[in-house]
Amino acid sequence: MTHKKDATKSSTSPSEPTNTQDINANKIITKSLTIDKADFPIVGIGASAGGLAAFEAFFSGMPANQDPEMAFILVQHLAPDHKSILTQLIQHYTRMVVSEVEDGMEIQVNHTYIIPPNCDMAILNGKLQLLTPSLPHGQRSPIDFFFRSLALDQHERAIGIILSGTGSDGTLGSKAIKAEGGVLFAQELTSAEFDGMPFSIINTGLVDYILPPQKMAAQLINYVKQAFIHPFKTIKELPSNENDLNKIFILLRQQIGHDFSLYKSNTILRRVERRMLVLKIDSIDSYVKYLQSNSDEIDYLFKELLIGVTNFFRDPYAFETLEKKIIPALFTKNTLDKTIRIWTPACSTGEEAYSIAILIQEYMDLHEQNYKIQIFATDIDRNAITVARFGIYPTAIALDVSPKRIERFFSLEPNNTDFRIKKNIRDMIIFSEHSIIKDPPFSRMDLISCRNLLIYLSNKLQNKIIPLFHYSLVPGGILFLGSAETIGNYTDNFKTLDAKARFYETTISLNKSASKTLSLDFTPSTLTLDLQHSKIIDKKALSLRTSLREITEKVLLEDIVPTSVLINAQGDILYLHGRSGMFLEPAPGESGINNIHKMAREGLKNSLSINLRKAIKTASIVYCSNVQVKLNNHFISVDYTIRPVSLASTQADLGSIYLITFEEKPIPEPSEPSEPSKVQSTKNKDFEIAELKKELDMKEDFIQIFYEEMESANEKLKSSNEEMQSINEELQ
């Protein structure tokens, strides 16, 4: 009750002497905590269903005798046609002045502001702006809308808190806050009346503090004190900065497999500093030790370093230029029989790749064209790639995607809080995990869209990646960069198409006299690995050839035959013994083909296919006689045997192998001519009929085998088509 009584006093007129004295006294108590009014943090708090109880618990946890030295802005899902009494309710639980926002209201420290009903709200230069919602109630995302503007306006002074609520409103905006160096709080799930919103933001892995609302205030005040009021010595001021950062890079590379040493140091420092603040670690040396003993923190730091702001059709002018100038040129340059290939490195959760796919589909529909499109979207963040593959996004994307495009290219999920990209757009894109720094680049690209990656990389790394892009693009290909990025010193190798939108076209060939020559060099570790792998393969192949020879010779000693072939279940020839020219010949037009199905002579091919399949199925010896094999301009009669070969345990990696032995039947001596008789004529006809019947049976067997193999191949093809969406182009 005392707390409520104090709160009531604080809400009276400033002219009352008692209240003024109380406030002045409190100012003296907290004088040491006072900071420059131009630099106070601004806390955005989002809630929906169950939010009132969470608000009450949060403000009840505020110190009764201390100003927090920050401002609070509450954004709740409110009924559009009912007056809100949230302002009066919150005033009972805080000593701060609580006001409903008016358009253009300037934010003041130690004040709390409540969004009015039926409004979207943004912040610009420290002032709150009210806007008429463009979407119907139920499809709006007021928390995302405000959080995104808060991040852009306040940067590292932006703090986001997500409390009880259904759906996922606030998730996209929270990512924006983290990308600008802010900090995130989320309500602990068991304390939330509705955990949809907290769960959605926690699931991103970006939340710094997960607490019940009543414990958030103390943690928040402590964080602000360390970060803004009495900050400890920053990393940049420490003499051992470079060595300590190198240790962090080593730990990241060992666990994650990616090297951040060539990223801009300021970017890394800001993210590391933010983690140290959250963990209350006041020296980088201590943070390195913490990383060594906590592998989860390495994963979290990796996520922090990868945070980037992305959304559909980001930078309207650039995408308008892409739609009206660049995409039409792509189709003009290419014919219908050619695939248009596009690469979006650092694609994050896929919004940019899908935006490009949507524009391309719109162009093809408008001009009634049906080109084959391949968009390769890559990133080093496995979790982001997984999100992109699913193609499911919060309804807040309606802030960036027009209603017409939402209706045409997205479907509403059953939960009514998410949109799913439609299949025709999804099928254009192959998402894969890929490092632009250490992995081989994609090639023959018509367009590369790499936006807002280069700004995080050092000049040394940029000077490696720009030539890599030139190599990846076809002559006349287009490079699409972010609004703060350029091609640097490589102006002789790219022609500027639109400086504002950052579109560049490759020159037809490299200018050898250019001051900056383009050179491609992959990381030494990659080259070394390839060379080592090559040596291993050579040794293994040599060892394999030796063992195969021993196997063949051993079997031959048991059953001596003139000509033998050792094959695997697929018919690949592993070893040849004797003169095989009478039975096998090189496949015409193809070099290096060593498969018995392709090399078998006419008359032998179908018979071998049928009987090898029988040997595989029955795991027993199959014998075939009197096979008519065409040799030059005549036929010879051949007997052959297919025999499964048992292997030692040390040779199990060879799989199932089979030995085929061939033997030509001798030509019978010609007998004395005699008068033909009816009996002899009948025998000859019976023999011809038997031979024809035998050949017919063999062809029927072959057709049956072919049909079964076709069915199996169709099943595999169907499965492969489904998996193809996530296959890296390197496998092609």
Side-chain angles (χ1 to χ4, degrees), residues 613-673:
R613 190 177 182 87
K614 288 180 182 178
I616 293 171
K617 277 188 173 183
T618 61
S620 60
I621 298 174
V622 175
Y623 178 76
C624 189
S625 63
N626 294 319
V627 179
Q628 299 301 303
V629 179
K630 187 174 183 180
L631 180 63
N632 298 327
N633 294 323
H634 66 281
F635 285 87
I636 60 173
S637 185
V638 175
D639 295 345
Y640 67 86
T641 304
I642 303 176
R643 178 189 314 233
V645 178
S646 59
L647 299 174
S649 59
T650 56
Q651 300 162 332
D653 59 333
L654 295 176
S656 300
I657 62 174
Y658 303 85
L659 185 69
I660 305 178
T661 59
F662 296 100
E663 185 175 3
E664 181 187 3
K665 295 193 72 173
I667 300 174
E669 291 292 332
S671 57
E672 290 294 328

Side-chain angles (χ1 to χ4, degrees), residues 147-339:
F147 275 20
R148 284 168 63 172
S149 71
L150 177 64
L152 293 173
D153 196 67
Q154 298 297 309
H155 307 291
E156 73 277 1
R157 286 175 290 144
I159 298 173
I161 298 178
I162 295 294
L163 300 177
S164 173
T166 58
S168 58
D169 190 13
T171 301
L172 295 182
S174 295
K175 290 180 181 179
I177 289 176
K178 286 293 289 187
E180 293 294 333
V183 69
L184 294 179
F185 288 70
Q187 183 169 355
E188 194 269 326
L189 296 182
T190 59
S191 68
E193 189 174 345
F194 296 90
D195 64 4
M197 282 169 44
F199 175 81
S200 180
I201 183 178
I202 291 171
N203 199 42
T204 65
L206 302 178
V207 177
D208 298 289
Y209 301 100
I210 302 172
L211 298 166
Q214 60 270 25
K215 294 184 179 181
M216 285 184 179
Q219 184 65 66
L220 180 61
I221 290 173
N222 184 65
Y223 170 80
V224 170
K225 181 180 177 181
Q226 285 189 329
F228 303 107
I229 301 175
H230 298 306
F232 55 72
K233 199 172 186 181
T234 63
I235 295 175
K236 301 168 194 174
E237 299 169 346
L238 298 176
S240 59
N241 173 28
E242 185 175 350
N243 286 337
D244 288 323
L245 274 182
N246 286 336
K247 293 172 185 175
I248 292 175
F249 295 144
I250 289 171
L251 293 173
L252 281 166
R253 188 175 62 182
Q254 284 178 343
Q255 180 163 320
I256 306 298
H258 295 291
D259 187 359
F260 287 89
S261 61
L262 292 179
Y263 280 57
K264 286 184 178 176
S265 58
N266 286 342
T267 301
I268 304 295
L269 288 170
R270 283 198 303 269
R271 303 291 167 86
V272 170
E273 249 181 338
R274 194 61 53 190
R275 287 304 301 157
M276 290 171 60
L277 281 169
V278 169
L279 296 168
K280 301 179 183 177
I281 297 175
D282 59 3
S283 75
I284 189 169
D285 182 60
S286 298
Y287 183 65
V288 171
K289 292 176 181 177
Y290 184 82
L291 283 172
Q292 288 176 298
S293 58
N294 293 271
S295 60
D296 289 344
E297 176 60 20
I298 296 178
D299 291 332
Y300 197 98
L301 179 60
F302 175 63
K303 291 178 182 178
E304 284 268 329
L305 296 176
L306 295 182
I307 296 171
V309 179
T310 181
N311 48 268
F312 286 90
F313 304 102
R314 188 183 183 198
D315 191 349
Y317 174 77
F319 272 91
E320 183 180 352
T321 305
L322 177 66
E323 178 184 10
K324 295 182 177 179
K325 296 181 180 179
I326 304 303
I327 288 178
L330 288 182
F331 284 89
T332 302
K333 292 177 182 177
N334 292 286
T335 56
L336 275 170
D337 61 337
K338 186 180 181 298
T339 300

Side-chain angles (χ1 to χ4, degrees), residues 403-438:
K404 183 179 178 181
R405 282 175 174 157
I406 289 285
E407 181 180 2
R408 185 175 175 187
F409 299 111
F410 295 85
S411 58
L412 187 64
E413 289 288 274
N415 60 13
N416 291 324
T417 61
D418 295 308
F419 288 124
R420 180 189 290 270
I421 198 81
K422 289 187 177 177
K423 190 176 184 300
N424 63 322
I425 301 298
R426 175 65 186 83
D427 288 347
M428 287 187 193
I429 306 174
I430 297 173
F431 290 102
S432 65
E433 193 177 344
H434 176 276
S435 171
I436 195 173
I437 297 173
K438 69 176 184 177

Side-chain angles (χ1 to χ4, degrees), residues 506-526:
T506 60
T507 54
I508 299 301
S509 60
L510 299 184
N511 185 350
K512 300 299 183 183
S513 63
S515 59
K516 289 285 182 179
T517 58
L518 298 179
S519 61
L520 291 174
D521 61 317
F522 297 106
T523 56
S525 59
T526 304

Side-chain angles (χ1 to χ4, degrees), residues 358-517:
I358 287 172
L359 293 182
I360 287 176
Q361 187 62 53
E362 287 178 338
Y363 181 90
M364 289 195 296
D365 290 346
L366 180 64
H367 295 83
E368 297 181 348
Q369 295 176 335
N370 189 23
Y371 280 69
K372 185 178 180 183
I373 309 295
Q374 281 185 337
I375 301 175
F376 302 94
T378 64
D379 201 283
I380 64 173
D381 187 348
R382 184 174 302 173
N383 293 330
I385 288 294
T386 300
V387 172
R389 282 181 181 145
F390 280 113
I392 298 176
Y393 299 95
T395 51
I397 64 170
L399 299 172
D400 307 304
V401 185
S402 68
K404 183 179 178 181
R405 282 175 174 157
I406 289 285
E407 181 180 2
R408 185 175 175 187
F409 299 111
F410 295 85
S411 58
L412 187 64
E413 289 288 274
N415 60 13
N416 291 324
T417 61
D418 295 308
F419 288 124
R420 180 189 290 270
I421 198 81
K422 289 187 177 177
K423 190 176 184 300
N424 63 322
I425 301 298
R426 175 65 186 83
D427 288 347
M428 287 187 193
I429 306 174
I430 297 173
F431 290 102
S432 65
E433 193 177 344
H434 176 276
S435 171
I436 195 173
I437 297 173
K438 69 176 184 177
D439 293 329
F442 291 68
S443 60
R444 296 180 291 112
M445 293 293 146
D446 298 286
L447 169 68
I448 294 178
S449 176
C450 182
R451 310 185 68 233
N452 305 309
L453 170 65
L454 298 181
I455 56 174
Y456 297 108
L457 307 180
S458 65
N459 290 334
K460 181 179 179 181
L461 197 50
Q462 289 184 30
N463 288 333
K464 175 183 176 180
I465 289 177
I466 295 297
L468 183 145
F469 286 156
H470 191 283
Y471 163 82
S472 296
L473 289 163
V474 297
I478 307 299
L479 177 61
F480 183 18
L481 298 179
S483 58
E485 299 167 333
T486 67
I487 55 172
N489 296 321
Y490 295 98
T491 53
D492 290 312
N493 308 110
F494 289 90
K495 179 174 68 176
T496 302
L497 297 180
D498 191 309
K500 182 180 178 182
R502 297 296 195 268
F503 284 101
Y504 304 91
E505 182 182 19
T506 60
T507 54
I508 299 301
S509 60
L510 299 184
N511 185 350
K512 300 299 183 183
S513 63
S515 59
K516 289 285 182 179
T517 58

